[in-house]
């Protein structure tokens, strides 16, 4: 596996998705929340965006994080209200204990009319257990134990500590109940066909979506 090539491809695809819904990012302020070592930030910058990375875990930053990176918690970003044209969060929501507070902070720092991109791996997807998937279907502790036996090292993620069981139906209901954002699109990030249709089917969507992508628009104050 080529991690650099994989994450660079993922970053290009994600920024393509942002531009498909919000137009070119050139000249716009983008906030990348929880972007790890900076692949997304670098891709936004390559396209002319003024992108800034906010990452709470210094271990995720790698050896050469993008210039201007800030170590900050997504629950309390050191930004003024309405600072960003685009607020971006890729595969972070399943790692926070309080998704609603996290989403509130993303909305707060986005200007009225701005775009919010949120994707996450839902718990019942085949990849819900991350490195110990798909054995999470048999229970988190059993899956973690199996991972340790097979690799000889402890798993990175622990359910209830740095990985949480986030579900699509619950998340959609919570987002629709908010008055600070509206949903532009709810779709599978990777599903090859009918990506919005699969998300509309209760039950099936929890397994088949794999990764939910929410495109949100910040409502006027």
């Amino acid at each position: 596996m080529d991690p650099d090539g994989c994450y660079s491809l993922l970053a290009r695809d994600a920024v393509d998705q942002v531009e498909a819904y919000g137009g070119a990012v050139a000249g716009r302020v983008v906030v990348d929340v929880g972007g790890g070592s900076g692949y997304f930030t670098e891709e936004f910058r390559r396209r002319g965006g003024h992108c800034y990375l906010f990452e709470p875990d210094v271990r995720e930053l790698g050896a050469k994080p993008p210039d201007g990176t800030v170590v900050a918690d997504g629950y309390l970003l050191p930004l003024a209200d309405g600072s960003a044209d685009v607020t971006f969060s890729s595969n972070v929501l399943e790692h926070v204990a309080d998704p609603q507070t996290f989403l509130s902070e993303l909305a707060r720092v986005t200007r009225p009319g701005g775009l919010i991109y949120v994707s996450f791996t839902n718990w019942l997807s085949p990849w819900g257990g991350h490195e110990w998937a798909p054995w999470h279907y048999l229970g988190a502790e059993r899956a973690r134990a199996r991972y340790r036996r097979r690799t000889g090292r402890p798993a990175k993620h622990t359910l209830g500590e740095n990985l949480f069981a986030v579900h699509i139906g619950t998340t959609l209901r919570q987002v629709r109940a908010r008055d600070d954002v509206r949903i532009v699109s709810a779709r599978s990030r990777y599903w090859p066909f009918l990506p919005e249709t699969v998300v509309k089917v209760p039950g099936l969507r929890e397994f088949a979506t794999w990764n939910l992508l929410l495109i949100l628009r910040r409502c006027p104050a």
Side-chain angles (χ1 to χ4, degrees):
M1 178 179 177
D2 173 18
D4 187 67
C6 177
Y7 284 113
S8 295
L9 177 62
L10 184 64
R12 290 194 297 272
D13 181 65
V15 180
D16 283 345
Q17 291 169 337
V18 170
E19 293 193 321
Y21 288 98
V25 297
R28 303 170 74 187
V29 175
V30 182
V31 173
D32 179 7
V33 182
S37 55
Y39 286 95
F40 300 109
T41 294
E42 295 290 8
E43 182 61 28
F44 279 114
R45 290 180 179 181
R46 271 191 287 272
R47 302 196 194 190
H50 305 296
C51 188
Y52 304 92
L53 172 60
F54 294 83
E55 169 58 51
D57 190 345
V58 294
R59 295 169 297 181
E60 296 292 334
L61 290 175
K64 296 179 66 177
D67 293 342
T69 293
V70 178
V71 177
D73 196 311
Y75 288 137
L76 190 62
L77 295 168
L79 292 169
D81 296 356
S83 299
D85 297 301
V86 177
T87 304
F88 179 89
S89 171
S90 174
N91 293 329
V92 177
L93 200 67
E94 71 266 34
H95 299 294
V96 300
D98 185 353
Q100 285 291 83
T101 298
F102 182 79
L103 289 171
S104 293
E105 189 66 352
L106 298 188
R108 181 188 69 80
V109 303
T110 307
R111 66 166 176 80
L115 200 73
I116 303 169
Y117 177 111
V118 179
S119 79
F120 66 90
T121 303
N122 48 298
W123 176 245
L124 291 177
S125 99
W127 299 106
H130 286 49
E131 73 273 18
W132 26 275
W135 303 100
H136 64 296
Y137 289 130
L138 302 179
E141 288 309 309
R142 180 180 296 181
R144 280 172 48 80
R146 182 183 185 278
Y147 179 88
R148 181 152 197 164
R149 288 196 304 272
R150 290 181 63 85
T151 66
R153 61 180 184 273
K156 177 180 178 180
H157 296 100
T158 301
L159 188 66
E161 293 183 10
N162 58 1
L163 180 65
F164 299 88
V166 184
H167 302 285
I168 291 175
T170 303
T171 302
L172 289 175
R173 287 191 294 272
Q174 290 174 341
V175 172
R176 286 171 179 148
R178 302 181 67 97
D179 59 7
D180 54 357
V181 298
R182 66 174 179 86
I183 297 177
V184 176
S185 179
R187 54 172 289 169
S188 171
R189 185 175 182 181
Y190 307 124
W191 194 255
F193 56 91
L194 301 176
E196 293 187 340
T197 300
V198 69
V199 173
K200 296 177 181 177
V201 184
L204 175 64
R205 64 190 174 194
E206 301 295 343
F207 297 91
T209 300
W210 285 31
N211 189 286
L212 181 68
L213 171 58
L214 291 173
I215 302 293
L216 310 175
R217 186 75 66 184
R218 178 70 164 94
C219 295

